[in-house]
Amino acid sequence: MTFKEQNPIYIQIAERICDEILEGRYPEGERLPSVREYAVQVEVNVNTLVRSYDWLTRNDIIFNRRGIGYFVSEGAAEHIREVRRQDFFQHSLPEMLQTMQSLGITIQEVSQRAETIINS
């Protein structure tokens, strides 16, 4: 996994796991790879992965069954979508609209480009 500098590594890993949940790789109720297995997979220290799993647990995306492992919480995918939607509307969209305004890009232009991208 390639990491970016703007966010802590454990958050980037947690976001990747969220992406994998949304993609259906880890369905709700299913067991995740062990901390050691996933740490090897993404080539990080086990302690970093523990922090990722702890963050996901605190955010009700996964839960731990002592002695068995971590599992995807029921409703996790919808929870992830809702949190990401809120973040998009609160942060990404205003930033994008400001950029559009400064570049003189209209919503109609964006809509036309989006249609082209979606239909290709």
Side-chain angles (χ1 to χ4, degrees):
M1 182 170 171
T2 304
F3 299 105
K4 300 172 184 160
E5 289 190 30
Q6 68 256 28
N7 289 326
I9 291 173
Y10 79 96
I11 296 290
Q12 292 179 59
I13 294 168
E15 288 294 328
R16 174 185 167 151
I17 293 168
C18 288
D19 290 342
E20 292 171 336
I21 291 169
L22 291 176
E23 293 165 1
R25 183 167 184 187
Y26 302 119
E28 295 175 6
E30 294 279 323
R31 185 176 178 276
L32 291 170
S34 72
V35 169
R36 289 191 192 327
E37 291 169 338
Y38 208 93
V40 168
Q41 186 178 336
V42 295
E43 301 175 337
V44 297
N45 183 293
V46 171
N47 294 326
T48 302
L49 225 297
V50 168
R51 289 183 74 191
S52 298
Y53 276 26
D54 285 347
W55 186 89
L56 291 165
T57 301
R58 283 192 315 275
N59 286 281
D60 299 322
I61 295 167
I62 65 174
F63 64 95
N64 186 11
R65 287 189 183 153
R66 280 206 178 276
I68 300 174
Y70 288 91
F71 293 78
V72 178
S73 299
E74 292 298 320
E78 190 53 41
H79 178 68
I80 293 164
R81 279 188 200 96
E82 184 56 35
V83 167
R84 288 184 174 182
R85 286 171 98 113
Q86 288 177 10
D87 182 66
F88 174 79
F89 285 117
Q90 290 175 355
H91 300 103
S92 301
L93 183 59
E95 191 176 304
M96 183 178 78
L97 292 172
Q98 186 176 18
T99 302
M100 288 171 55
Q101 185 177 25
S102 68
L103 297 175
I105 298 171
T106 66
I107 290 178
Q108 291 77 16
E109 287 177 277
V110 172
S111 179
Q112 290 171 350
R113 295 280 175 112
E115 287 288 327
T116 302
I117 292 167
I118 290 170
N119 293 326
S120 51

